[in-house]
Amino acid sequence: DKGETAMGSRVRRLAGLAAGVSRRIPPLGALPPPRRLPGTVGKVHFAQRPAVGSLQLLAANATAPFATRGRRDGGPAPAPAWPRVPGSLRGLHRSWVLRSDGEGPGEEEGGGAAPGGGDGDELFEGDESGMPEVLNGGQETGSQLVSRDSDWVPSEVIVIPVFRRPIFPGIATPIALTNPAFCEAILKLKSSTGSYPLVGIFMTKQPTREEGTPITSTEDLHQIGCLGQVVYIHGVQQLGVQLLVAGAGRILITGTVRTEPFLTVSIQRCQDKPFDPSDKMIKAWVLQIISTMKSVVKLEHSFKEQLQTALTQVDVNNPALLADITASMTTADRDSLQNVLNTLDVQDRLSQALRLLTIELDQAELQKSIHKQMEDSVSKMQRKHFLTEQLKIIKKELGLEKDDKEELIQALTAKLAELNAPPTAEKVITEQLKKMSMLEPSSPEFNITRTYLDWLVSIPWGVSTDENFDVKKAAKVLDKDHYGMKDVKDRILEFIAVGKLKGSVQGRIICFVGPPGVGKTSIGQSVASSLNRKFYRFSVGGMTDVAEIKGHRRTYVGAMPGKAVQALKSVGCNNPVIMLDEIDKVGKGYQGDPASAMLEMLDPAQNAEFLDHYLDVPIDLSHVLFICTANSMDTIPGPLKDRMEVIQVSGYTADDKLHIAKNHLWPAARTDAGIKASQVTISPEALRTLITKYCREPGVRNLQKQVAKLLRKAAYLFATGAKDKLSIGVGNLATFSGPPVFPTDRIYDKTPPGVVMGLAWSSMGGTSLYIEAATVAEAEEAGKGSMRSTGQMGDVMKESSDIALSVAKRVLRDLSRAGGEGKGAKGKGKGEGSKGVFLERAQVHLHIPEGATPKDGPSAGVAMTTALLSLSLGTSVLDDLAMTGEVTLTGKVLPVGGIKEKVLAAQRAGVTTVVLPEANRRDWGELDDKSREGLEVRFAGHYADVFDVAFPMHAGKLSAFADEIRRTKNTKKVPAKKPKVPREAEER
């Protein structure tokens, strides 16, 4: 009829327009015969949606009635009972979506456009993906895509749960589906029906859910949700399906239809409570919302663009839709938004929407305030930076200020002019300055070059301090800082005297060797003070990196020169006193051997051109006086030891310690404790007891700790009010210091047969060393004898015990031949010569007490031999006797070291007679009177001399043994005749 003819011509016109833009759209094939479209299409065109993800308003004209199924009588269409998809619908990005803008109530009898529509000649653009379903006469027509009848609601829908925020009617929202089975079901539903399906969108009660756990019960969902029409489906490979869902109205869950394979529920629509759009209160709410939206739009807000669109397109005569759109464009929490969705009273809904919008306004104003503060701060900094740069430029133009780089270069050049650098160093500095002038300050190489130049110009090239070679002044300084140690002081004064005559002390490397706490480091400071030189100390104990001595290569990050260069920069002169502390404890690691690196630094023939790896410029260290300290020489490498002049620093005597404690340690500790001199006193006898029974080490470090302990106890009594004054004597000393640590140095008051006191040396000083020998068993036949050694002896000491056994057997045989008698070890002999074969038959156990302490060395050979003879003869040695010395198989007594320490140990043990090797007579002569006080020394060149002192009752019986050795020694050798050689060979 006439209506169908008009509609057919309209569809043909759209097809012609599509053919006119065939350059962009490929041919769609032949169009099917014209067919009647259900409903009225007043004005049809295609639009392109902006970027995915932004919420799109569906209502371009909120008052436009929904397209309905056409009425043949041409009467007006019924008004919608609840909001359906309004007249404007935009789809996914670059996808075609049919939008009906007409208001016509139905198809006109005369054909043509419906009221409110155009003539249908609008151009359209976009791709063709959405066109065939409309132009090809598919079942999904324009009216079906936009809405169905206003009274029609599906009886059941598939549930799509949302977690973050609900979806409101009138809003198109993208939803991503990641469940493969659900995605496949949606696609099958579309293909089977030929139209986009309707779904129910409900928000879950809990904001999160374990991944992979589906919603299978309505108890997990809010009962009121939104009916959504899927207006676009876009499949994304390996990511699922993305839907564009348009909210069509509120719905209520009335029951569960099925839970498998997906939750499907029965629904009914939720109608708003009746209201009068012209009511003054509702209008007031609407106007307040519009006013607040305008205020928010003026500020920065995440939905600013959408709010602007709402202000221009939403009709104020539809307050229900306005409330939904307003709530959806806020950042409120999920529960507040769900409350808005649950509210069916329009005035209530407007109130809640306004409240949420007001919160957004407050947040936007706060955001603006924060943004303004940040802008002001940044602007202030930028303004200051700009003004500073302008000021620099102005000063530079006026000649008042120079560029930082130029100023730095000029400062370095001025320092170079003041230095007396050698030509090689001056050349390197000049080249580096030229290099830095061509570098940008922001370049990393600029900072590396600057640091390198700072080190080069900081070296005191040619800068020396005036030396003082006044021997008398040096002696006063040494006496002031140290008490006793006369031999060490004399050695140092001799060293200074040679320097005075020579004019310098360069080429000397001194090494102080001694036990801890004897003042090696402080002596080095005194030497520097007496010479008027600056002092620099660093410890090399545990050092394992060669770079600590020779410096790092400049290619490494954080590279630095070695300790020698750092010392020169620190003191500011080229002739300081540099102390290398603990040189005997230098380590060795994968970074190299620092002891080998010290050879160049400590060798007078090489250190005049010492080459540091960092500076890479020869430095003269020949003016430096190097002083090393060590506790033992055993661990110092031989080549390094050859470059040193060793000065032995022995321990203090008891009188030295008493004087040091009385005049130095006690006043200093009393001041540190905050005690006045009138409050506490200590008697000299108490100090001597403290020294002999608590602090027997060679140094005074432990004595200093004990004195501080006494004064801390006294300070506690004064602070608590227990006492006002205190006097410490021998009687109450144990109250403050506890029981004596060393009650006595002697294990035996009177040594039994088989026990002899020896003397030993260690890095801690001298000590007494008892040698014990006992018979375990005795065989009837000779040749069954043996000896067992215990006491943690070292290899050298074990060899000394074997030698001692051989010498003792020979002595016993000589005694037997001499006809000497004795009871023997068992108390009785077994005939003539039983003593001579005693060690051949006896099983002897040789032990050195304090088995936890390792012991080694050859100096116990004399004491071991004497202990075995005392056991064999059954006779005790002389009372208060101590001995030391190495014995050979022929009975010779060889010299040993550490004589002063051993003599001091004998003094502490209360010994009256000391046996020393004849070759150590010189060492005894070098001891002062205090060290030799109370001791009688007997020198022995042969073991027969030791035997005569240890066993006075058998004195002289070993004369034959000794005479044989002496005859061998005194035999005059006749030199062999030299063969005649030609005169020329002799001259050569």
Side-chain angles (χ1 to χ4, degrees):
D1 59 21
K2 198 173 194 178
E4 289 182 355
T5 305
M7 185 60 63
S9 78
R10 193 171 187 82
V11 172
R12 290 189 183 89
R13 190 182 312 141
L14 289 175
L17 291 174
V21 291
S22 59
R23 292 180 307 223
R24 299 182 58 187
I25 303 176
L28 299 176
L31 290 173
R35 57 174 295 180
R36 176 184 177 86
L37 295 179
T40 300
V41 180
K43 177 182 178 183
V44 179
H45 68 88
F46 295 93
Q48 194 173 15
R49 178 185 181 272
V52 178
S54 61
L55 299 177
Q56 301 298 321
L57 295 176
L58 295 180
N61 187 354
T63 60
F66 298 101
T68 61
R69 293 190 179 275
R71 298 187 55 175
R72 303 294 299 186
D73 55 1
W82 57 291
R84 302 287 294 171
V85 179
S88 178
L89 181 65
R90 293 188 176 92
L92 201 61
H93 179 56
R94 296 193 63 81
S95 297
W96 292 98
V97 176
L98 185 63
R99 185 175 68 186
S100 175
D101 292 334
E103 297 182 0
E107 183 179 292
E108 294 189 56
E109 293 295 333
D119 56 2
D121 292 332
E122 296 93 333
L123 292 177
F124 54 90
E125 54 186 54
D127 59 24
E128 72 284 0
S129 59
M131 293 178 61
E133 295 167 346
V134 177
L135 299 181
N136 292 343
Q139 291 185 1
E140 181 152 354
T141 62
S143 59
Q144 288 175 325
L145 178 63
V146 175
S147 67
R148 299 179 184 271
D149 289 337
S150 59
D151 294 331
W152 182 85
V153 173
S155 59
E156 59 184 50
V157 290
I158 296 177
V159 173
I160 296 182
V162 291
F163 293 89
R164 297 189 217 171
R165 50 192 293 137
I167 293 177
F168 288 88
I171 300 297
T173 305
I175 298 177
L177 302 179
T178 56
N179 190 333
F182 195 84
C183 297
E184 185 177 356
I186 292 291
L187 294 174
K188 285 183 178 179
L189 182 61
K190 176 183 178 300
S191 61
S192 62
T193 60
S195 62
Y196 288 93
L198 293 171
V199 294
I201 303 173
F202 298 90
M203 192 173 71
T204 59
K205 293 181 180 179
Q206 298 298 327
T208 58
R209 192 174 182 87
E210 294 184 5
E211 186 176 357
T213 304
I215 300 293
T216 58
S217 174
T218 57
E219 295 180 358
D220 298 332
L221 304 172
H222 288 282
Q223 298 304 301
I224 294 181
C226 182
L227 180 66
Q229 182 168 11
V230 179
V231 297
Y232 187 82
I233 300 177
H234 178 65
V236 182
Q237 188 177 6
Q238 297 179 352
L239 296 178
V241 170
Q242 186 161 2
L243 310 178
L244 184 63
V245 181
R250 286 174 172 79
I251 54 176
L252 173 68
I253 298 177
T254 59
T256 302
V257 177
R258 69 182 68 88
T259 59
E260 295 295 339
F262 308 107
L263 180 61
T264 303
V265 296
S266 58
I267 60 172
Q268 69 179 21
R269 69 172 179 267
C270 295
Q271 296 183 355
D272 293 336
K273 293 181 179 180
F275 68 95
D276 184 7
S278 61
D279 184 70
K280 293 182 179 180
M281 184 60 68
I282 290 180
K283 284 188 176 182
W285 285 109
V286 170
L287 293 177
Q288 184 62 33
I289 288 177
I290 297 297
S291 176
T292 308
M293 290 175 68
K294 290 180 180 180
S295 300
V296 174
V297 167
K298 295 177 182 179
L299 304 173
E300 292 295 331
H301 191 264
S302 55
F303 294 110
K304 180 178 180 180
E305 296 179 359
Q306 287 79 359
L307 288 173
Q308 287 177 339
T309 306
L311 283 173
T312 58
Q313 295 187 5
V314 174
D315 188 2
V316 295
N317 294 323
N318 193 344
L321 181 62
L322 177 64
D324 290 340
I325 293 175
T326 303
S328 66
M329 293 185 182
T330 63
T331 58
D333 59 276
R334 62 197 303 271
D335 295 331
S336 299
L337 295 176
Q338 182 63 37
N339 290 335
V340 176
L341 187 64
N342 294 342
T343 304
L344 300 180
D345 188 298
V346 175
Q347 184 173 339
D348 240 0
R349 194 186 306 167
L350 289 171
S351 172
Q352 295 184 27
L354 180 59
R355 181 178 61 83
L356 297 180
L357 191 62
T358 305
I359 294 174
E360 295 298 318
L361 178 61
D362 295 340
Q363 292 179 352
E365 289 177 348
L366 181 59
Q367 182 181 354
K368 180 181 178 181
S369 175
I370 296 173
H371 183 68
K372 187 175 183 303
Q373 292 178 6
M374 294 299 296
E375 280 188 343
D376 292 344
S377 176
V378 173
S379 299
K380 185 177 180 180
M381 293 173 59
Q382 289 179 346
R383 183 170 176 272
K384 183 178 179 180
H385 175 71
F386 292 152
L387 291 177
T388 304
E389 292 298 323
Q390 290 177 359
L391 183 62
K392 286 183 180 180
I393 295 174
I394 293 172
K395 287 184 176 182
K396 186 176 180 180
E397 291 295 332
L398 295 176
L400 301 177
E401 186 176 299
K402 297 180 180 179
D403 185 67
D404 290 342
K405 185 173 75 171
E406 293 180 1
E407 187 177 359
L408 177 62
I409 294 175
Q410 290 185 2
L412 293 174
T413 305
K415 285 185 178 181
L416 177 61
E418 297 174 359
L419 297 177
N420 187 19
T424 54
E426 187 173 355
K427 180 182 177 182
V428 172
I429 295 174
T430 305
E431 291 177 353
Q432 292 297 319
L433 284 172
K434 184 178 179 181
K435 174 184 176 182
M436 190 170 69
S437 63
M438 295 184 293
L439 295 173
E440 290 295 329
S442 59
S443 172
E445 188 68 22
F446 180 86
N447 293 325
I448 295 175
T449 306
R450 176 180 178 177
T451 306
Y452 180 50
L453 282 171
D454 285 340
W455 277 104
L456 284 174
V457 299
S458 299
I459 302 298
W461 305 100
V463 179
S464 303
T465 56
D466 297 332
E467 294 185 88
N468 174 41
F469 294 109
D470 189 348
V471 180
K472 293 183 179 179
K473 180 181 177 181
K476 291 181 180 179
V477 173
L478 292 174
D479 291 337
K480 178 184 176 181
D481 296 340
H482 299 83
Y483 180 81
M485 305 176 70
K486 183 177 181 301
D487 51 346
V488 178
K489 293 179 181 177
D490 292 342
R491 189 75 176 272
I492 294 173
L493 292 176
E494 292 170 3
F495 173 77
I496 296 175
V498 173
K500 179 179 181 179
L501 298 178
K502 186 180 178 182
S504 68
V505 292
Q506 65 183 21
R508 300 286 183 178
I509 291 91
I510 302 175
C511 182
F512 294 123
V513 180
V518 296
K520 298 185 293 296
T521 303
S522 58
I523 291 175
Q525 294 176 339
S526 300
V527 171
S529 177
S530 61
L531 291 174
N532 195 29
R533 289 193 176 195
K534 295 186 177 181
F535 182 77
Y536 185 89
R537 171 196 167 274
F538 68 92
S539 176
V540 296
M543 184 182 293
T544 59
D545 192 356
V546 175
E548 294 288 337
I549 303 297
K550 298 278 289 181
H552 302 82
R553 302 287 182 184
R554 290 200 306 275
T555 54
Y556 296 113
V557 177
M560 291 183 63
K563 287 292 186 181
V565 177
Q566 295 179 32
L568 294 181
K569 179 184 177 181
S570 177
V571 299
C573 62
N574 65 353
N575 62 338
V577 174
I578 298 180
M579 171 167 283
L580 282 68
D581 217 354
E582 309 293 346
I583 198 170
D584 59 327
K585 300 175 182 64
V586 177
K588 186 176 182 181
Y590 68 91
Q591 298 99 337
D593 184 8
S596 301
M598 290 182 192
L599 297 178
E600 180 185 0
M601 185 175 69
L602 299 181
D603 192 347
Q606 301 180 38
N607 59 12
E609 294 184 354
F610 176 75
L611 191 64
D612 186 88
H613 289 163
Y614 180 82
L615 297 181
D616 206 20
V617 175
I619 301 175
D620 187 6
L621 298 180
S622 60
H623 301 284
V624 178
L625 174 61
F626 289 99
I627 297 179
C628 307
T629 65
N631 298 126
S632 174
M633 296 293 292
D634 298 336
T635 56
I636 301 177
L640 189 59
K641 192 186 304 182
D642 292 340
R643 289 163 169 78
M644 301 176 182
E645 186 174 348
V646 179
I647 298 179
Q648 292 288 342
V649 183
S650 303
Y652 296 101
T653 63
D655 291 337
D656 293 341
K657 289 185 177 182
L658 180 62
H659 185 277
I660 293 171
K662 183 178 179 181
N663 297 327
H664 299 281
L665 301 182
W666 180 263
R670 187 182 60 223
T671 303
D672 293 340
I675 301 175
K676 297 180 181 179
S678 59
Q679 289 181 289
V680 61
T681 58
I682 187 170
S683 64
E685 292 78 11
L687 282 176
R688 187 175 293 276
T689 304
L690 192 68
I691 292 168
T692 56
K693 294 187 179 296
Y694 293 86
C695 311
R696 286 187 176 176
E697 74 284 346
V700 294
R701 191 169 293 156
N702 192 34
L703 178 60
Q704 182 182 11
K705 296 177 182 178
Q706 290 293 335
V707 170
K709 180 180 179 181
L710 291 176
L711 291 170
R712 284 198 305 271
K713 299 278 188 181
Y716 176 77
L717 295 177
F718 297 152
T720 56
K723 290 190 176 183
D724 296 331
K725 291 186 178 181
L726 182 64
S727 178
I728 302 176
V730 178
N732 61 350
L733 180 64
T735 306
F736 300 97
S737 296
V741 181
F742 305 101
T744 178
D745 243 350
R746 306 183 63 166
I747 301 177
Y748 303 96
D749 294 332
K750 183 177 179 61
T751 54
V755 179
V756 176
M757 181 190 292
L759 298 174
W761 177 93
S762 68
S763 60
M764 298 295 294
T767 182
S768 59
L769 189 73
Y770 278 93
I771 310 295
E772 298 178 341
T775 304
V776 178
E778 185 176 354
E780 296 293 335
E781 300 177 2
K784 300 292 186 179
S786 62
M787 185 178 69
R788 179 189 176 194
S789 301
T790 57
Q792 204 171 157
M793 301 182 190
D795 294 337
V796 176
M797 185 169 282
K798 288 181 180 179
E799 292 179 354
S800 296
S801 65
D802 294 337
I803 295 173
L805 179 62
S806 300
V807 173
K809 289 180 180 180
R810 181 174 179 181
V811 169
L812 290 177
R813 286 197 298 270
D814 289 347
L815 287 176
S816 178
R817 286 197 296 268
E821 281 293 336
K823 294 188 297 181
K826 295 295 184 180
K828 61 180 181 178
K830 292 189 179 183
E832 187 69 23
S834 61
K835 292 180 296 184
V837 295
F838 170 73
L839 293 178
E840 301 289 344
R841 295 185 284 107
Q843 295 181 9
V844 179
H845 186 174
L846 188 69
H847 177 67
I848 302 177
E850 297 182 9
T853 304
K855 311 168 190 70
D856 203 359
S859 61
V862 170
M864 289 179 176
T865 305
T866 306
L868 292 173
L869 289 175
S870 175
L871 176 66
S872 302
L873 297 174
T875 305
S876 300
V877 298
L878 183 68
D879 293 337
D880 300 329
L881 174 68
M883 60 185 67
T884 183
E886 179 183 359
V887 67
T888 66
L889 280 174
T890 58
K892 286 286 294 179
V893 178
L894 302 182
V896 292
I899 294 301
K900 181 177 181 179
E901 289 80 1
K902 293 177 179 179
V903 170
L904 294 177
Q907 274 187 339
R908 293 194 298 267
V911 172
T912 58
T913 305
V914 179
V915 178
L916 300 177
E918 179 66 32
N920 289 114
R921 187 183 293 271
R922 177 179 60 86
D923 300 321
W924 172 264
E926 293 178 354
L927 299 179
D928 53 19
D929 295 337
K930 290 182 180 180
S931 301
R932 295 185 291 184
E933 184 179 359
L935 292 177
E936 178 186 357
V937 64
R938 303 291 293 273
F939 295 102
H942 188 272
Y943 182 75
D945 303 327
V946 181
F947 186 83
D948 292 343
V949 176
F951 305 103
M953 69 292 297
H954 298 289
K957 292 184 179 181
L958 292 183
S959 57
F961 182 31
D963 290 343
E964 179 181 350
I965 300 300
R966 294 191 181 100
R967 279 198 307 272
T968 304
K969 179 180 179 181
N970 296 329
T971 301
K972 193 172 183 179
K973 294 183 180 180
V974 179
K977 293 183 179 181
K978 294 183 179 179
K980 291 184 178 182
V981 294
R983 183 180 181 86
E984 297 131 1
E986 186 174 359
E987 290 176 356
R988 286 200 301 271

